[in-house]
Amino acid sequence: MTLQIDHIIPQAAGGTASPDNLCLACISCNSFKSDYEFGLDPLTETDVALFHPRRQQWEDHFRWSDDGLRLIGSTAIGRATVNRLRINRAEAVASRRVWVAAGLHPPFD
Ligand SMILES: [Zn+2]
């Protein structure tokens, strides 16, 4: 899989190219994130900051569905990030279905 370097805080919003503002993202997630640093939490219908992978812990904001196919946001930040990046888009769920069948998903810590 080809990964891209994402500016967590977009350069358009003043984010720098320092390592603490960079992370790897797949092409689809990066394109949906674009220059956004906020997203809509569909539960509270408020705009909140997206998950910051350098400053926040993944397990505090996300969990996998019991079948491993869908990422569930457990906080407003998690839900907004899942929503903004369209993490549960049909193509991603189809890929996860194959990975689950092969015993490769969800990932272990
Ligand atoms: Zn992705």
Side-chain angles (χ1 to χ4, degrees), residues 10-51:
Q11 290 179 299
T16 70
S18 67
D20 66 340
N21 191 45
L22 301 176
C23 70
L24 293 175
C26 77
I27 292 170
S28 294
C29 288
N30 201 24
S31 67
F32 288 123
K33 180 177 177 287
S34 187
D35 280 344
Y36 293 105
E37 70 184 299
F38 294 89
L40 178 69
D41 170 15
L43 184 64
T44 61
E45 298 184 347
T46 57
D47 268 335
V48 297
L50 299 175
F51 177 67

Side-chain angles (χ1 to χ4, degrees), residues 62-109:
F62 304 100
R63 66 178 179 82
W64 290 106
S65 59
D66 289 341
D67 61 8
L69 299 181
R70 287 177 177 74
L71 188 63
I72 298 170
S74 49
T75 64
I77 289 169
R79 291 186 296 269
T81 302
V82 167
N83 189 44
R84 171 66 73 195
L85 276 59
R86 301 184 198 175
I87 288 176
N88 293 319
R89 57 194 174 274
E91 302 83 12
V93 171
S95 295
R96 290 179 203 136
R97 191 179 310 279
V98 173
W99 299 336
V100 166
L104 301 171
H105 187 79
F108 300 102
D109 289 331

